Amino acid sequence: MSKKQIKPSEWVDFINRICLLDKKGNPREDIPLTLQGGEPTMYKGFYEVVNGVDSRFKLDLLTNFMFDVDEFIQRVPVEKFTRDAKYAAIRVSYHPGQNKIDDLIIKHHKMRDAGFYVGIYSVVTPQNMEHINEIKEKCKKEGIDFRVKEYLGFDGKRWHGTYKYQDAISQKIEKYCECKTTELIVGPNGKIYRCHSDLYENRTPIGNILDSDFKIKDIYRPCYVYGHCNPCDIKVKTNRFQEFGHTSVDMKNIRDLTSDERAALNGGYFGI
């Protein structure tokens, strides 16, 4: 994948052009925009982007908290990460062995006292379950919204997680499907992808934010690599209203590849 990053002004220009309609055909005033990575705050133009996007966008930040919280508090208005939701707009990942919970708690309290709603999240595995439960109780005593996320992955014997399309992550089959995502997935180089699997596998993008003619389409797109999906796309989770049963993508017409489709796939064409 290209390591070239687009300019902050280009991000802001593209984001502010986005217009989504509600069920009545009126422009939405609560468009969710998630900043994630890697670590999004490492982007040199992070503050320029955050402060440049229109107030129509309700920002979420997925972070490891490895940034200067004093600078963040000074440079970012609280309302940028304030919205009507049942969970924190700023969600911090706790990774045992990679960051320290005491450091995260100190930073959390600084952000909280400045008016930001911050939550700490961690993935629970069979190996760390006891430790995570201890951390959960510690955070509860500190008044921190600490939540655990389901472990997604393959342990050599079986896949862990709750998935809507179980065989879509098997890595053992390649089938045809028609897939529609509820998310606009953009890489750091500005390229737009059908799904996280396409992004991480560096498959052909469907567009680029620098293309002024690109239009967001709420459509099903053909795909030749069903079976090699990313767990994040097909896991069953809660939506932004905290209602369980949501998945990032919806699929239909799942079937075996035709001989022509198989030949196209072998030639590097993924159905885009």
Side-chain angles (χ1 to χ4, degrees), residues 10-187:
E10 293 170 328
W11 277 113
V12 172
D13 178 65
F14 169 72
I15 293 169
N16 287 342
R17 292 202 315 267
I18 296 175
C19 180
L20 300 182
L21 304 179
D22 60 23
K23 294 181 180 180
K24 295 182 179 180
N26 300 315
R28 283 182 53 178
E29 294 294 326
D30 62 341
I31 304 173
L33 175 63
T34 300
L35 307 177
Q36 63 184 67
E39 174 52 47
T41 60
M42 291 182 65
Y43 177 57
K44 291 183 179 179
F46 174 78
Y47 292 109
E48 185 177 341
V49 172
V50 167
N51 290 313
V53 297
D54 190 87
S55 60
R56 295 180 297 122
F57 296 91
K58 308 305 179 184
L59 301 182
D60 286 280
L61 175 63
L62 308 187
T63 177
N64 59 21
F65 243 168
M66 298 302 180
F67 60 85
D68 186 335
V69 296
D70 293 315
E71 181 184 16
F72 188 100
I73 292 168
Q74 182 179 15
R75 299 185 65 175
V76 178
V78 172
E79 55 267 22
K80 284 289 182 179
F81 290 92
T82 301
R83 52 182 171 69
D84 184 16
K86 298 178 181 179
Y87 59 95
I90 299 176
R91 301 190 287 281
V92 179
S93 295
Y94 169 58
H95 300 286
Q98 296 182 25
N99 49 11
K100 298 179 180 179
I101 192 62
D102 289 339
D103 293 340
L104 300 186
I105 290 174
I106 292 172
K107 291 185 174 183
H108 169 277
H109 289 353
K110 275 191 175 184
M111 295 282 283
R112 178 199 60 193
D113 293 346
F116 293 97
Y117 180 15
V118 179
I120 298 180
Y121 286 60
S122 190
V123 175
V124 61
T125 69
Q127 293 76 26
N128 72 11
M129 186 177 298
E130 183 177 352
H131 172 70
I132 294 300
N133 284 335
E134 293 174 355
I135 296 300
K136 184 177 181 179
E137 287 302 312
K138 184 172 186 175
C139 287
K140 183 178 179 180
K141 293 178 181 178
E142 292 286 341
I144 296 174
D145 183 359
F146 182 92
R147 306 191 189 192
V148 296
K149 297 188 292 185
E150 187 177 28
Y151 169 56
L152 307 177
F154 187 68
D155 65 5
K157 296 181 180 179
R158 68 182 183 89
W159 281 92
H160 293 265
T162 304
Y163 305 99
K164 185 174 181 179
Y165 310 94
Q166 188 66 44
D167 60 344
I169 55 169
S170 67
Q171 309 294 311
K172 296 179 180 179
I173 60 173
E174 291 163 341
K175 289 187 174 184
Y176 172 93
C177 76
E178 292 165 23
C179 183
K180 180 173 70 172
T181 180
T182 59
E183 302 172 349
L184 182 67
I185 302 170
V186 187

